[in-house]
Amino acid sequence: MIDLRLLRDDPDRVRASQRVRGEDESLVDVLLAAFDIRRAAVARADSLRGEQKTLSRSVAKASPEERPAVLARAKHLADEVKAAEADEAAADAALREAHLAVPNVVEEGVPPGGEDDFVLLDTVGTPPVIDAPKDHTEIGAALKAIDTERGVKVSGPRFYFLTGIGAQLELALVNLAMAQATEAGFVPVIAPALVKPDIMLGTGFLGAHAAEVYKLENDDLYLVGTSEVPLAGYHSNEILDVKDLPLRYAGFSSCYRREAGSYGKDTRGIIRVHWFDKVEMFSYIGVDDAVDEHRRLLAWEREFMDKLELAYRVIDVAAGDLGSSAVRKFDIEAWFPSQRAYRELTSTSNCSTYQSRRLNIRARGPQGIGPVATLNGTLVAVARTIACLLDHHQQPDGSVYVPAALRPWLGGREVLTAP
RNA sequence: GGAGGCUUCGCCUAGUCUGGUCUAUGGCGCCGCACUGCUAAUGCGGUUUGGGUCACAAGCCCAUCCCGGGUUCGAAUCCCGGAGCCUCCGCCA
């Protein structure tokens, strides 16, 4: 939900944001109009209610002779109030709808355009040169680490079992990520993967990407696609203390994605799956510090990539490819030798006050109560990272090299070999 | 799943039976001022949140007593529905 004051003061900035996102500029004017209509409706209902209050108080004081007349007037006024309140409610609903339809106002400097219009910020490491590289599905099967066949048998396409060293690899990655996050001052959190509708709506996932989300109809709950959702909801309807900011959480949870509209994409292996586990960084921070915090989240993501000894690049995602909550997004893409391509492994977004407004999260400081910014960043999306590790660190003899940082969590193993 | 109790502006609490300055009482905490070598104590004042008007000030106005409806000129208070918490019973791990 964008700041309506910003909209009123500088509607052109919001229009410009819509333009670089490739979205409808007229939504801005719809929102402006809805805002004006609501303000007028509120003013009218307020003043009628005020009159009614005064009049109804005078009923008790009225003498028996004047009472019938006063009552008659009061009754009439009560009808007017009722009508005005109905108008007010309708104007409120219209404003809300228009408000939800406008995505966050992008940060200055975000590249315009769509998926292919990203700007390359950095390239790290040298992609390994491998003769006839195998992909992670083949390697994972040989190591008895990934069982996609039985995943499909039991749960359907885009499901898998991690077994043996594969299961251990997940635990190792999660432990490594959690250790790094904890050392950086994040509070480790195990978060629920099912949330209520208002939380899902508040984080902005029921907008353009609603088709991506699993819903449990019988229970009116959603399966989260990332622990960003429960971590954003964690402080919903709360007034935080500015002294406590930034609040940083590292959430571990399972993540569920319908992958609607990605038919035929990455059908092999565990790069694109309906369920995976993830450690996500989440920050609540003062509005003025959000841009710096975004850079810090990116730095922590890079630190983790470095620990995994992967060749990767960092991109500044174009406006049209941002989620509705984000003002800016940086992705880290790691090298997959079997695909001869960089593929997204982590992603960090600055959501400024978009989520906190929807979720009613504020902070109290010396200057009173004000908005807070929320930001998120992936530390490790386990399945895809395992896929990358197997692919990237495969050896000619079929074994897989274990990055030094991961070894303590794998009983000191330096290579993974078939059991 | 069954029975009962509870939910008031940070926390605790008065008020609900008997609808009308409830424009919500008091305490704790917090903020400011005064007093005092310092601290503490004491005294005085302030302290829900959101919205409208407006300069995003002050002031004024509206809403807010778990949520949603209803009755009424008027609801914290009466009626209906829902949620959450607690206790007991049942069931399950």
Side-chain angles (χ1 to χ4, degrees), chain A residues 13-28:
Chain A
R13 196 167 148 218
V14 184
R15 288 194 190 96
S17 170
Q18 288 293 90
R19 210 175 310 128
V20 293
R21 277 178 178 272
E23 298 214 19
D24 191 353
E25 278 183 64
S26 71
L27 291 178
V28 176

Side-chain angles (χ1 to χ4, degrees), chain A residues 40-97:
Chain A
V42 166
R44 188 176 142 73
D46 274 4
S47 76
L48 280 172
R49 261 193 301 260
E51 264 184 73
Q52 182 189 38
K53 236 168 117 169
T54 318
L55 194 57
S56 67
R57 235 175 259 148
S58 73
V59 170
K61 291 188 205 127
S63 64
E65 305 83 69
E66 34 184 42
R67 183 163 303 211
V70 176
L71 264 181
R73 269 200 297 149
K75 269 182 185 164
H76 179 69
L77 195 54
D79 288 340
E80 276 190 80
V81 167
K82 213 165 193 173
E85 284 182 339
D87 287 348
E88 190 184 9
D92 254 331
L95 174 64
R96 186 174 163 73
E97 194 188 336

Side-chain angles (χ1 to χ4, degrees), chain A residues 280 301 329-332 344-349 376-378:
Chain A
E280 180 86 358
E301 290 184 347
K329 179 160 90 164
F330 302 120
D331 282 0
I332 293 182
E344 178 187 336
L345 235 48
T346 72
S347 177
T348 177
S349 293
N376 61 79
T378 320

Side-chain angles (χ1 to χ4, degrees), chain A residues 166-249:
Chain A
Q168 287 178 294
L169 212 41
E170 154 140 359
L171 296 174
L173 284 166
V174 169
N175 278 319
L176 181 64
M178 276 298 189
Q180 179 185 312
T182 306
E183 198 179 330
F186 285 78
V187 177
V189 176
I190 312 282
L194 275 70
V195 299
K196 299 191 212 173
D198 55 321
I199 301 295
M200 194 53 103
L201 184 72
T203 43
F205 283 96
L206 294 184
H209 298 101
E212 262 297 286
V213 178
Y214 282 107
K215 182 174 188 193
L216 304 183
E217 284 292 347
N218 288 340
D219 302 283
D220 207 17
L221 289 169
Y222 290 92
L223 283 163
V224 302
T226 160
S227 50
E228 170 192 343
V229 177
L231 290 176
Y234 191 63
H235 286 299
S236 60
N237 295 314
E238 290 183 24
I239 299 174
L240 308 172
D241 191 326
V242 165
K243 289 199 295 283
D244 297 332
L245 300 179
L247 286 168
R248 297 195 179 104
Y249 299 102

